């Protein structure tokens, strides 16, 4: 069984992929190289093969068969959106460099944007001496490509440059064969953002899930440890009652979260930004009473949301109407 799997992976991704996988299991960090060898295979596929390989990826992650011809469950519909609902507008709004500028054009003074301090095509071009004591470096074309930099401690600039340039090589659309195609045509860049003190503490992240231009519920996440990938959450409706279903990504808060004073404005912002999309998650922050834009996500959780029961999954699926 193991030998047959190894042979299949060599045929798909090449011998170096097998070597990188083996070294990763031994504790060496070759994960980026492993991703790149997989990426080369998926990028080379004709688009007609995407459904087949997306089904294989989905089965490996969930143990379930993916029905793209007639999707019924919530996550099945989210996978359908990946392949059959791409648009240039989605690509622009998934770009962490261009999206904030676009959002500011749309909403004006109703939204605040975290200031960008610089943008580069290569990490070797970054002049660290020109940046403030604390700042955030991130790549604009995927998720999790973030480095918080604090110059009050010695920065390993060589290591930071190396990591950023590795990330720039990754086409997030084909990462592990999950086909989040909205990331495919983003021109990859490194951006520096102003460090917001509250973002590194117990700031609540208000993730507003919108369906066909209508905000449906708010997933509120806090107590986050980005290194350990832990946190707490609760989901509310727009009357600030606990939503009837709770995603089980993080453990639930033991007590309720205070209702934001600007809830109505948050609703109107999410409604405006979700116009024309079958699904989008609009992420907002409240910092010193002001609403800040976080990001827009069109395949939340990579289409693998963990609803508590099959009944809940089917009920939530009714919100996601593919034909509108």
């Amino acid at each position: 069984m193991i030998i047959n799997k190894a042979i299949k992976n060599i045929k798909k991704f090449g011998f170096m992929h097998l070597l990188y996988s083996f070294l990763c299991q031994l504790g060496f960090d070759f994960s980026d190289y492993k991703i790149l060898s997989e990426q080369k295979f998926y990028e080379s596929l004709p688009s007609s093969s995407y459904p087949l390989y997306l089904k294989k990826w989905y089965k490996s992650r969930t143990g379930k068969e993916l029905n793209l011809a007639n999707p019924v469950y919530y996550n099945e519909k989210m996978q359908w959106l990946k392949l059959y609902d791409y648009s240039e507008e989605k690509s622009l709004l998934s770009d962490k460099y261009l999206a904030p500028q676009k959002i500011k054009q749309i909403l004006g003074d109703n939204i605040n944007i975290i200031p960008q301090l610089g943008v580069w095509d290569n990490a070797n071009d970054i002049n660290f001496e020109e940046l403030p004591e604390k700042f955030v470096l991130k790549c604009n074309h995927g998720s999790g490509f973030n480095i918080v930099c604090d110059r009050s401690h010695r920065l390993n600039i060589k290591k930071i440059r190396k990591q950023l340039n590795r990330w720039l090589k990754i086409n997030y659309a084909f990462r592990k064969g999950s086909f989040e195609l909205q990331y495919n045509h983003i021109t990859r860049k490194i951006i520096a953002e102003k460090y917001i003190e509250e973002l590194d503490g117990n700031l609540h992240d208000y993730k507003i899930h919108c369906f066909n231009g209508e905000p449906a519920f708010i997933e509120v996440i806090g107590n986050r440890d980005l290194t350990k990938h832990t946190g707490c959450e609760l989901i509310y409706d727009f009357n600030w009652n606990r939503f009837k279903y709770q995603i089980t990504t993080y453990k639930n808060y033991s007590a309720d979260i205070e209702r934001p004073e600007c809830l109505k404005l948050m609703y109107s912002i999410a409604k405006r930004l979700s116009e024309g999309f079958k699904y989008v998650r609009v992420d907002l922050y409240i910092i010193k009473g002001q609403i800040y834009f976080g990001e827009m996500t069109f395949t939340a959780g990579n289409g693998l949301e963990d609803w508590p029961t099959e009944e809940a999954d089917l009920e939530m699926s009714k919100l996601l109407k593919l034909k509108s």
Side-chain angles (χ1 to χ4, degrees):
M1 179 76 75
I2 296 175
I3 294 175
N4 289 339
K5 183 178 179 180
I7 292 172
K8 286 181 180 179
N9 283 339
I10 290 173
K11 288 180 178 179
K12 280 176 67 176
F13 307 129
F15 175 77
M16 292 306 294
H17 177 272
L18 181 66
L19 176 60
Y20 295 145
S21 299
F22 176 70
L23 291 172
C24 287
Q25 290 177 8
L26 292 178
F28 296 96
D29 186 10
F30 281 89
S31 55
D32 289 336
Y33 297 104
K34 179 174 176 286
I35 288 169
L36 289 175
S37 62
E38 294 174 356
Q39 174 180 305
K40 184 177 180 181
F41 170 78
Y42 292 118
E43 284 183 314
S44 69
L45 293 172
S47 58
S48 59
S49 295
Y50 292 175
L52 171 64
Y53 285 94
L54 182 61
K55 288 178 181 180
K56 289 183 177 182
W57 172 84
Y58 188 79
K59 180 69 178 290
S60 71
R61 293 298 304 272
T62 68
K64 300 176 182 177
E65 301 293 338
L66 173 60
N67 183 352
L68 286 172
N70 184 29
V72 174
Y73 291 98
Y74 183 91
N75 286 335
E76 287 184 324
K77 291 183 178 181
M78 197 66 72
Q79 304 307 319
W80 186 96
L81 290 176
K82 289 181 179 181
L83 298 186
Y84 305 118
D85 196 51
Y86 170 79
S87 70
E88 291 184 5
E89 187 76 359
K90 278 189 173 185
S91 181
L92 186 155
L93 293 171
S94 299
D95 184 330
K96 290 177 171 58
Y97 171 58
L98 295 178
Q101 303 168 41
K102 179 68 174 179
I103 298 307
K104 192 64 177 176
Q105 289 176 9
I106 295 171
L107 295 172
D109 292 338
N110 285 323
I111 197 75
N112 294 279
I113 302 299
I114 296 173
Q116 294 180 351
L117 307 175
V119 56
W120 304 270
D121 296 320
N122 189 300
N124 297 328
D125 297 331
I126 301 172
N127 186 339
F128 283 81
E129 294 304 315
E130 293 180 349
L131 293 167
E133 184 169 327
K134 295 188 81 170
F135 56 95
V136 178
L137 290 171
K138 61 173 61 175
C139 293
N140 66 322
H141 63 289
S143 178
F145 298 153
N146 309 309
I147 302 175
V148 177
C149 299
D150 184 352
R151 294 176 60 199
S152 65
H153 305 286
R154 185 176 179 274
L155 294 179
N156 189 334
I157 292 177
K158 182 178 179 180
K159 182 177 180 181
I160 292 172
R161 291 190 200 277
K162 186 176 181 180
Q163 182 61 74
L164 290 168
N165 282 332
R166 280 183 180 176
W167 284 339
L168 284 177
K169 295 176 183 178
I170 295 174
N171 185 341
Y172 205 81
F174 297 103
R175 188 175 183 270
K176 298 184 179 180
S178 61
F179 296 97
E180 294 185 272
L181 297 180
Q182 67 270 23
Y183 296 109
N184 190 27
H185 299 294
I186 294 175
T187 301
R188 299 171 212 166
K189 294 183 180 295
I190 301 163
I191 54 178
E193 286 185 349
K194 181 180 179 181
Y195 177 79
I196 305 297
E197 194 74 36
E198 292 90 340
L199 290 175
D200 198 33
N202 190 27
L203 184 73
H204 288 133
D205 187 353
Y206 297 90
K207 298 179 178 293
I208 304 176
H209 296 251
C210 307
F211 302 85
N212 297 97
E214 187 64 33
F217 57 88
I218 312 175
E219 181 183 5
V220 188
I221 301 178
N223 287 344
R224 299 179 85 169
D225 185 323
L226 299 180
T227 302
K228 298 179 180 178
H229 302 288
T230 58
C232 295
E233 71 176 349
L234 279 173
I235 300 178
Y236 290 89
D237 62 22
F238 279 91
N239 292 315
W240 212 248
N241 298 312
R242 288 200 191 193
F243 197 63
K244 56 184 174 180
Y245 303 122
Q246 299 289 326
I247 301 172
T248 56
T249 307
Y250 299 107
K251 67 179 182 180
N252 288 164
Y253 278 100
S254 57
D256 275 311
I257 299 163
E258 184 178 352
R259 175 183 177 137
E261 292 184 6
C262 53
L263 182 61
K264 288 185 178 179
L265 181 55
M266 293 170 69
Y267 174 89
S268 65
I269 287 172
K271 185 174 178 64
R272 174 68 181 88
L273 294 180
S274 63
E275 287 178 5
F277 298 117
K278 292 179 175 62
Y279 170 83
V280 65
R281 195 192 73 205
V282 179
D283 293 4
L284 303 174
Y285 300 104
I286 303 173
I287 301 173
K288 297 179 181 178
Q290 301 295 311
I291 300 174
Y292 278 75
F293 174 73
E295 63 180 75
M296 292 177 69
T297 302
F298 294 94
T299 46
N302 211 350
L304 298 174
E305 297 286 24
D306 192 7
W307 297 106
T309 64
E310 182 174 348
E311 177 189 8
D313 194 329
L314 290 169
E315 188 68 22
M316 296 309 301
S317 178
K318 293 177 183 178
L319 293 173
L320 189 46
K321 297 178 174 62
L322 301 183
K323 295 180 181 179
S324 56

